[in-house]
């Protein structure tokens, strides 16, 4: 609202369209530099020096605007400051009225805001996507955190969101896994902890297979006839088992499905701790063979793929001119033995999803290690004649997590990480015995704080940056960490408990009493929240929200000495509590958007 008001005002002054002004206005990094800032060159007015333009426009700015002071000018930057009283008296009641929907702008996602019957825009967010029987590694963790956030964000903005988990659950390695289970499987262990048990089997059988391969190779070199050995090798057995699966052998399929179902059940428990649920567990196994064959034929007919030593490849250099064609390389889409590949499955799956969901947008949250894969995927969809679909797809990538280790050594299961961090938080909590005894369920709180530590650390930088997993830093209560954010939230909750005021008390508070700079500054930040959400819909960076939330916690913590609630005279107490309560609402909303569970104590 503030930005819109200012755009209109500036449009009157400059004669420039609001469509140009609105996006050129941005919120400042810190309040002492104003609230909104405008670089004069962004309005693209020719013929005069930007510095002069800024000065002229500032002079023309009305003395008595309802919301803004006359701007200040530094070089060609115009800085606008909101007026304290109006911002306080509009923003706090708005937050009281809309609660956690403040800033959600639910109309934003509608196809036609004036006609809700046309339905909301639909977005698919594909994220997490681990490979069953293999470790849920840092890449999957990041995809889970970032994807969960992107899904929440769109829901908040009014989109119809479909969350899809595309499991790695098909291929020869699952034949090998079934063999391992026949040999060493343990029903009890499988039911108790399928992810771990399957992984142990996977490691064991792979080690065995490697040793066997070396053996065969050695004998071969010694001149022995190894035909029989090879025909009976684990590799060959796995291939045969997987062949049974693709031929839809009921027994083989049933076994594989059991592994898959148990793994999903286990994943779901972990996702629940992260406040995540999926609408669909898709996966490589779910792609229809017929559909793949069909699109395979189509690619061949349209000259997108061609034969190369018995396999089918896409030679992008022949299809896409210039550098781009070279960059896209030469992926295989069908192996010599006829099996489809990761890329082939993705092509079919994408088209099937469009058919099924008619999405307006689809986001793949996958590590940047797969940048090329997704570029190839989108390009092939375009070459197949579906440019309209390709433009709706977006790859949201992210960097690596370095230096992650758990007490188990090299394998990094998500559950282990979360347990380690929760233990650490629990130890910290115990150090303050007095407070510790006030927490109702310390284990659960430690768990929540642990999860917050991991998530906040992950979301602190830009997605694309690598970061180093640092247990000590992320569990600290000092600095911009998850525990600090939770502390800030709980502290406001505790003021409210001690003030012992009702919602009616707060609604009837005399907000004109909030004149101190500290109070006004908190409200100035609250006024930025709706725009922060809109900006984040463009950046799709969790850090955009996180940075905002930390600004808020800093403003709050520096205000407590100046804005005492308990102990102040009753009217003042009501007004200040109304202020803190509004901050509490926005802080909680932001945290939940990030996927965190705000704690009250
Ligand atoms: N399962 C894959 C992996 O762990 C990620 C899947 C990404 N999504 C996709 N549609 N290819 O690397």
């Amino acid at each position: 609202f503030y930005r819109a008001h200012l755009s209109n005002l500036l449009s009157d002054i400059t004669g420039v369209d609001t469509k140009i002004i609105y996006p050129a206005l941005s919120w400042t990094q810190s309040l002492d530099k104003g609230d909104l800032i405008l670089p004069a060159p962004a309005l693209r007015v020719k013929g005069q020096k930007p510095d002069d333009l800024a000065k002229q426009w500032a002079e023309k700015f009305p003395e008595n605007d309802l919301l803004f002071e006359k701007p200040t000018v530094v070089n060609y930057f115009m800085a606008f400051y909101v007026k304290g009283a109006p911002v306080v008296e509009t923003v706090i009641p708005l937050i009281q009225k809309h609660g956690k929907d403040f800033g959600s702008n639910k109309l934003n996602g509608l196809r036609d805001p004036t006609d809700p019957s046309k339905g909301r825009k639909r977005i698919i967010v594909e994220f997490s996507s681990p490979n069953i029987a293999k470790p849920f590694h840092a890449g999957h963790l990041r995809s889970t955190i970032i994807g969960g956030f992107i899904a929440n964000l769109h829901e908040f903005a009014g989109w119809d969101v479909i969350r899809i988990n595309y499991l790695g659950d098909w291929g020869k390695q699952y034949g090998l896994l079934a063999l391992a289970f026949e040999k060493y499987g343990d029903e009890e262990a499988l039911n108790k902890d399928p992810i771990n048990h399957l992984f142990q089997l996977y490691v064991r059988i792979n080690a065995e297979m490697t040793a066997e391969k070396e053996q065969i190779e050695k004998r071969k070199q010694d001149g022995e006839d190894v035909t029989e050995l090879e025909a009976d090798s684990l590799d060959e057995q796995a291939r045969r088992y997987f062949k049974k699966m693709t031929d839809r052998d009921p027994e083989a399929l049933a076994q594989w499905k059991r592994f898959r179902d148990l793994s999903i059940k286990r994943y779901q428990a972990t996702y629940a701790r992260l406040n995540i649920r999926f609408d669909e567990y898709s996966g490589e196994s779910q792609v229809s063979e017929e559909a793949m064959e069909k699109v395979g034929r189509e690619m061949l007919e349209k000259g997108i793929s061609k034969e190369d030593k018995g396999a089918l490849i896409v030679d992008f250099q022949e299809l896409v001119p210039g550098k781009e064609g070279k960059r896209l390389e030469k992926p295989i889409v069908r192996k010599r033995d006829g099996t489809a590949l990761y890329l082939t499955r993705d092509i079919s799956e994408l088209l099937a999803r469009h058919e099924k969901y008619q999405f307006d947008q689809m986001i793949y949250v996958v590590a940047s290690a797969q940048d090329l894969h997704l570029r190839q995927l989108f390009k092939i969809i375009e070459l197949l004649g579906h440019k309209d679909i390709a433009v709706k797809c977006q790859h949201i990538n992210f960097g690596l997590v370095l230096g992650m280790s758990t007490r188990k050594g090299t394998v990094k299961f998500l559950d282990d990480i979360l347990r380690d961090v929760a233990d650490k938080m629990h130890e910290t909590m115990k150090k303050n015995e007095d407070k510790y005894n006030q927490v109702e369920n310390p284990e659960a709180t430690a768990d929540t704080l642990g999860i917050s530590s991991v998530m906040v650390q992950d979301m602190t930088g830009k997605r694309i940056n690598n970061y180093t997993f640092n247990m000590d830093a992320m569990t600290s209560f000092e600095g911009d960490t998850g525990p600090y954010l939770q502390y800030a939230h709980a502290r406001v909750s505790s003021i409210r408990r001690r003030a012992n005021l009702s919602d009616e008390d707060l609604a009837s508070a005399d907000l004109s009493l909030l004149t101190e700079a500290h109070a006004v500054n908190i409200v100035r930040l609250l006024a930025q929240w709706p725009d922060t959400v809109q900006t984040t819909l463009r950046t799709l960076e969790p850090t955009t929200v996180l940075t905002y939330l930390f600004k808020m916690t800093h403003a709050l913590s520096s205000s407590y000495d100046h804005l005492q609630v308990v102990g102040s005279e009753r009217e003042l107490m009501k007004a200040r509590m109304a202020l803190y309560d509004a901050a509490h609402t926005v802080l909680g909303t932001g945290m939940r958007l990030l996927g965190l569970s705000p704690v009250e104590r």
Side-chain angles (χ1 to χ4, degrees):
F1 176 72
Y2 279 85
R3 205 144 68 110
H5 173 82
L6 192 56
S7 301
N8 289 335
L9 210 68
L10 286 170
S11 180
D12 291 344
I13 293 170
T14 62
V16 175
D17 197 286
T18 50
K19 281 204 193 74
I20 295 179
I21 300 175
Y22 189 87
L25 282 166
S26 58
W27 296 92
T28 57
Q29 287 306 311
S30 74
L31 294 175
D32 53 303
K33 297 199 179 71
D35 289 86
L36 285 154
I37 196 152
L38 179 80
L43 302 199
R44 304 196 286 261
V45 174
K46 297 266 147 61
Q48 282 186 69
K49 280 208 206 111
D51 294 30
D52 296 339
L53 283 170
K55 234 181 270 148
Q56 286 167 29
W57 293 337
E59 272 158 29
K60 286 193 200 150
F61 200 89
E63 207 65 65
N64 55 353
D65 181 62
L66 229 51
L67 300 179
F68 286 96
E69 310 277 3
K70 241 172 141 45
T72 59
V73 175
V74 181
N75 303 327
Y76 57 60
F77 286 102
M78 303 174 76
F80 303 89
Y81 292 76
V82 296
K83 289 182 173 165
V87 73
V88 168
E89 285 168 50
T90 49
V91 170
I92 293 179
L94 259 178
I95 296 173
Q96 287 177 336
K97 180 167 165 221
H98 294 288
K100 58 181 174 28
D101 282 340
F102 173 70
S104 77
N105 191 9
K106 292 227 154 124
L107 279 181
N108 193 54
L110 296 173
R111 275 168 216 274
D112 175 358
T114 57
D115 182 5
S117 71
K118 286 198 178 143
R120 291 180 295 162
K121 280 197 185 178
R122 174 173 282 176
I123 184 168
I124 293 183
V125 186
E126 186 218 273
F127 64 105
S128 198
S129 309
N131 306 317
I132 63 174
K134 284 197 223 163
F136 189 113
H137 56 66
H140 300 120
L141 174 62
R142 294 211 75 186
S143 173
T144 308
I145 293 173
I146 296 166
F149 165 69
I150 289 175
N152 292 344
L153 178 71
H154 282 83
E155 212 157 63
F156 191 62
W159 289 66
D160 173 18
V161 180
I162 314 264
R163 295 164 168 87
I164 294 185
N165 196 332
Y166 184 69
L167 299 172
D169 58 358
W170 201 241
K172 195 171 80 182
Q173 66 269 34
Y174 297 101
L176 186 65
L177 187 67
L179 287 183
F181 191 74
E182 272 172 15
K183 284 179 135 188
Y184 318 111
D186 175 342
E187 277 297 326
E188 205 180 309
L190 179 69
N191 285 308
K192 219 175 104 210
D193 191 350
I195 309 255
N196 253 313
H197 186 55
L198 292 178
F199 179 65
Q200 275 161 13
L201 294 179
Y202 175 86
V203 170
R204 183 163 176 185
I205 199 86
N206 268 294
E208 216 170 293
M209 191 171 77
T210 311
E212 189 191 65
K213 271 192 182 150
E214 276 166 15
Q215 265 289 321
I216 295 177
E217 192 51 36
K218 195 161 163 275
R219 291 202 186 183
K220 207 169 172 176
Q221 270 167 19
D222 292 347
E224 245 179 87
D225 178 8
V226 294
T227 327
E228 219 163 284
L229 279 176
E230 269 176 345
D232 203 36
S233 67
L234 282 171
D235 192 38
E236 189 48 33
Q237 288 181 50
R239 201 189 59 74
R240 283 202 296 265
Y241 196 100
F242 181 58
K243 179 86 174 42
K244 279 207 282 185
M245 284 162 60
T246 52
D247 290 345
R248 304 271 138 193
D249 173 87
E251 221 171 289
L253 269 188
Q255 181 66 297
W256 162 84
K257 188 167 179 318
R258 207 159 73 95
F259 294 160
R260 183 181 196 267
D261 290 347
L262 283 167
S263 301
I264 290 178
K265 222 167 108 188
R266 196 65 199 74
Y267 288 139
Q268 279 169 331
T270 306
Y271 291 139
R273 291 168 74 190
L274 303 173
N275 299 319
I276 284 167
R277 45 150 202 90
F278 287 93
D279 298 283
E280 187 183 322
Y281 281 88
S282 168
E284 291 172 43
S285 69
Q286 303 301 299
V287 183
S288 124
E289 294 291 330
E290 298 79 63
M292 269 191 295
E293 222 146 84
K294 191 169 151 244
V295 71
R297 269 200 309 277
E298 206 183 320
M299 283 168 66
L300 208 51
E301 277 162 25
K302 292 192 168 153
I304 299 167
S305 66
K306 65 172 192 189
E307 244 196 77
D308 186 74
K309 300 183 205 99
L312 286 182
I313 63 158
V314 178
D315 188 344
F316 278 111
Q317 221 171 324
E318 286 177 1
L319 300 161
V320 181
K323 265 200 198 126
E324 205 200 342
K326 202 163 183 174
R327 252 189 358 166
L328 286 165
E329 297 181 12
K330 234 190 245 187
I332 303 178
V333 284
R334 206 178 73 198
K335 285 208 282 201
R336 219 161 43 169
D337 64 8
T339 45
L341 287 113
Y342 184 52
L343 179 59
T344 334
R345 289 183 191 279
D346 260 324
I347 298 166
S348 264
E349 169 78 3
L350 193 164
L351 295 173
R353 281 184 200 168
H354 193 260
E355 179 98 5
K356 179 170 174 190
Y357 291 111
Q358 298 291 320
F359 56 79
D360 297 284
Q361 208 187 327
M362 173 149 69
I363 287 178
Y364 290 82
V365 188
V366 186
S368 61
Q370 295 190 30
D371 282 356
L372 178 63
H373 171 75
L374 286 143
R375 270 208 302 271
Q376 291 170 338
L377 170 63
F378 300 157
K379 198 62 183 182
I380 290 173
I381 296 294
E382 186 185 322
L383 292 171
L384 278 166
H386 303 296
K387 187 156 188 185
D388 55 325
I389 302 179
V391 297
K392 294 177 182 175
C393 297
Q394 193 182 356
H395 176 204
I396 290 299
N397 60 1
F398 50 83
L400 303 169
V401 185
L402 310 167
M404 210 154 101
S405 79
T406 62
R407 56 182 154 210
K408 286 204 168 161
T410 47
V411 180
K412 296 113 192 163
F413 282 104
L414 178 56
D415 284 338
D416 293 332
I417 299 164
L418 296 183
R419 183 162 21 80
D420 283 357
V421 183
D423 285 350
K424 172 129 199 201
M425 291 314 312
H426 202 177
E427 277 160 34
T428 311
M429 284 162 64
K430 279 190 202 150
K431 283 185 191 144
N432 189 333
E433 209 180 320
D434 212 34
K435 289 248 167 76
Y436 182 80
N437 291 327
Q438 290 173 34
V439 178
E440 218 168 89
N441 185 347
E443 269 90 17
T445 302
D447 194 51
T448 303
L449 290 184
I451 290 168
S452 305
S453 310
V454 174
M455 291 179 71
V456 166
Q457 169 173 261
D458 193 274
M459 299 191 282
T460 292
K462 285 227 168 97
R463 284 186 271 102
I464 197 67
N465 294 344
N466 301 339
Y467 71 86
T468 305
F469 193 85
N470 184 337
M471 181 84 125
D472 288 328
M474 73 176 165
T475 52
S476 166
F477 278 86
E478 266 140 54
D480 290 347
T481 64
Y484 175 71
L485 189 58
Q486 289 285 10
Y487 158 77
H489 183 268
R491 176 149 185 196
V492 191
S493 308
S494 113
I495 299 174
R496 176 79 195 257
R497 278 195 301 272
R498 281 186 293 128
N500 200 16
L501 292 167
S502 68
D503 286 346
E504 290 75 49
D505 287 334
L506 302 193
S508 65
D510 177 3
L511 301 175
S512 72
L513 297 174
L514 297 171
T515 52
E516 299 87 349
H518 283 96
V520 175
N521 284 351
I522 291 172
V523 183
R524 286 164 78 193
L525 286 176
L526 289 172
Q528 294 183 11
W529 173 240
D531 238 13
T532 303
V533 174
Q534 293 308 312
T535 307
T536 313
L537 281 163
R538 281 197 313 277
T539 64
L540 299 181
E541 293 278 3
T543 187
T544 313
V545 168
L546 201 57
T547 305
Y548 170 84
L549 294 181
F550 280 124
K551 258 194 247 173
M552 179 64 74
T553 60
H554 299 154
L556 285 170
S557 81
S558 67
S559 74
Y560 293 128
D561 287 343
H562 305 270
L563 308 172
Q564 242 193 340
V565 178
V566 181
S568 291
E569 174 273 315
R570 186 167 168 86
E571 282 309 310
L572 200 54
M573 178 160 133
K574 276 164 62 178
R576 286 178 178 171
M577 195 63 243
L579 168 75
Y580 283 131
D581 199 57
H584 183 256
T585 300
V586 170
L587 208 50
T589 306
M591 288 170 76
R592 272 183 282 266
L593 264 193
L594 294 173
L596 306 170
S597 312
V599 300
E600 300 296 333
R601 231 185 250 270

